[in-house]
Amino acid sequence: MSEMIKITLPDGSAREVARGTRPADVAAAIGPGLAKAAIAARVNGELRDIGRPIEEDAELALVTSRDVDEALELARHDYAHVLAEAVQNMFPGTQITFGPSTEDGFYYDFAPPASHGAFTEEDLPAIEDEMRRIIAADAPLEREVWSRAQLIDWFRDHGESFKAEWAAELPQGEELTVYRAGEWLDMCRGPHLASTGKLDPQAFKLTRVSGAYWRGDQSNAMLSRIYGTGWLDRKQLKQHLVRLEEAAKRDHRKIGAEMNLFHLQPEAMGSVFWHPRGYVIWQALEQYVRRRVNEAGYREIKTPQLLDKTLWEKSGHWEKFGANMFVVPDEVPSMDEDAPVLSGKADLLAIKPMNCPAHVEVFKQGIKSYRDLPLRLAEFGCCHRNEPHGALHGIMRVRQFTQDDAHIFCTDDQITAESVAFCELTDRMYRDLGFPEFSVKLALRPDVRGGTDEMWDRAEMGMRDALSAAGLDWEELPGEGAFYGPKIEWHLKDAIGRTWQCGTLQLDFLLPERLGASYVGEDGERHRPVMLHRAVLGSMERFIGMLIENHAGRMPLWLAPVQAVVATIVSDADDYAEEVAAKLRAAGLRVETDLRNEKVGYKVREHSLAKVANLLVVGKREAEEGSVALRVLGSDEHQRVMSVNDAVARLTAEARAPDMQ
């Protein structure tokens, strides 16, 4: 075997180096500046430690802190390891489990010693101090390859039953690695920075503690999960904490309670109780979506909640999503005290977790001709998914949700035109709804998928052709497509810079084949339609939560639960206030009156805090003149006096939905 290997750099230049040369050695050979800046390397596309030897010819790209995404991933992974070491130093007997990086930080799941009990937020400051001590020690992070037996024995000998269990289940033949920092180690694939001292000790913060089940299974042990946020420097951390503070002010759960929009309770875990004001937002949004899709040529349908298990087996959902379905036996439960409530022998029904199989069944009714295509079927489909309790989050992550769902049945030749039309529809709707900035991503075939490689080749090329024809730039996400086919995703940016994945367009050749959908072509033969799964909002609940947070509760006037309040200065104006409110209601506006015996300044402050957009103040003089003093929330103008008719005309115009202006 040759002792020399060839390293090819991104600029195309090549170097002959000794086998076992590290990326750090290559960086040093190029120059001292790069040697100092390089923190990791991509070797044949794989992200690796800067100190891991290269054993064969390879393409090498050195990674520095300027490669922000990769640098953050490495730093956050390291912070998670430092957190685990700190906790075990401070609380002997703690078992470690998993500690991944996240979108803005990291977490680690621990089994605390019985003598301490679950960790609390009071523990976090001391843990942070210990983390800073570990970082200051600057211990090298060293990669070691162990055998399965070594791993299992070491973890068992050290009382790490969770890690030993996991190590025993890893695939045969897989290279198993640990990373050591001094005397402490953890099983990990890596990569990591060269040493703990490469982290900025002032660029992280532990944020909260929660419970989490081992391996996400409610039948397993409850663990303590410690979350943190980690960055490359303290300036980035400070900016993030400011964003977190602003996000906390905008939290839809907090604002929803303050504005009396909705509530949740344990008796309906993951399902929303919409209050009158909250349901006003829902109805206004649903009516807007309905007008837009009707205008785009969709036909609205309604499909059943309960469908037999056999349909889900045919569609492939039972195998893929069965664990997340609510299943109902098709029998009358027994009320006999001496008999089980359910026999266990009945056929099974499932509450639908998605609408697509039912839409195929609607398409199949009657003979379809190529002249009937494209056929666009839309539904505000109420779905249920059995999400773990710990994964639920306000109205953003729920068990019962309603999708603005639709499926387009078309021919191969119509894919591009239909996809482009949907791209144009999403652009129009997102701008209407206050999200003009978005990015587009194309999720490609996952490891677990239906259909043939040839089918996926056609589907992925069809999506690329559609995006090109729509004039959109996109990023590709290998391995993140849906079970049926590739998926275009729309990621929206909100008012404080966060991104939310909402709209999707998925090309599917598989489901029509599984469920036997067909149409008669121009040649008189039967053909399979192509199915485009699409949604703009995603789910009504989540999108309303986004709207609340994006606008900090100050909804656009057309969505506002209360569009105006008529408030009196003196009780002599009560009757006049009711007359003004009646005129506003007659014009279609959502109006309330405030006739309380309170000072007008108090009323102004109270309704401003309640996010009421328009306050019409009336007193004795306004009653005599037939006028109102209009105050607009957030306006620099103190107030403007105008006639009632002018106020009605102005507010009516401002309250029109975007598609009706």
Side-chain angles (χ1 to χ4, degrees), residues 313-355:
E313 288 175 329
K314 287 178 186 175
S315 70
H317 289 94
W318 188 261
E319 178 184 0
K320 176 69 176 173
F321 299 108
N324 298 111
M325 291 187 188
F326 287 100
V327 178
V328 182
D330 190 7
E331 65 176 326
V332 177
S334 172
M335 295 293 104
D336 188 338
E337 292 182 2
D338 298 326
V341 175
L342 301 172
S343 70
K345 300 176 182 178
D347 293 336
L348 297 179
L349 305 169
I351 304 176
K352 65 177 178 180
M354 63 264 305
N355 304 297

Side-chain angles (χ1 to χ4, degrees), residues 6-10 13 41-46 54 56-62:
K6 184 171 81 169
I7 299 297
T8 304
L9 299 174
S13 63
R42 283 207 171 273
V43 179
N44 294 328
E46 177 191 0
I54 306 171
E56 59 187 7
D57 293 349
E59 294 181 355
L60 173 68
L62 295 165

Side-chain angles (χ1 to χ4, degrees), residues 285 433 435 492 502 537 539-547:
L285 183 61
L433 295 166
F435 295 96
L492 313 189
C502 288
L537 308 187
S539 87
M540 293 285 288
E541 289 82 357
R542 182 169 178 268
F543 202 87
I544 290 172
M546 287 172 50
L547 285 168

Side-chain angles (χ1 to χ4, degrees), residues 277-298:
R277 288 188 175 186
Y279 201 54
V280 164
I281 299 174
W282 177 296
Q283 288 177 310
L285 183 61
E286 182 181 285
Q287 289 160 9
Y288 162 78
V289 174
R290 179 173 285 115
R291 290 192 300 270
R292 282 296 193 200
V293 298
N294 286 347
E295 179 184 55
Y298 289 78

Side-chain angles (χ1 to χ4, degrees), residues 605-617:
R605 285 192 298 275
E606 188 174 78
H607 292 300
S608 294
L609 290 172
K611 314 293 192 298
V612 175
N614 297 287
L615 189 63
L616 287 74
V617 180

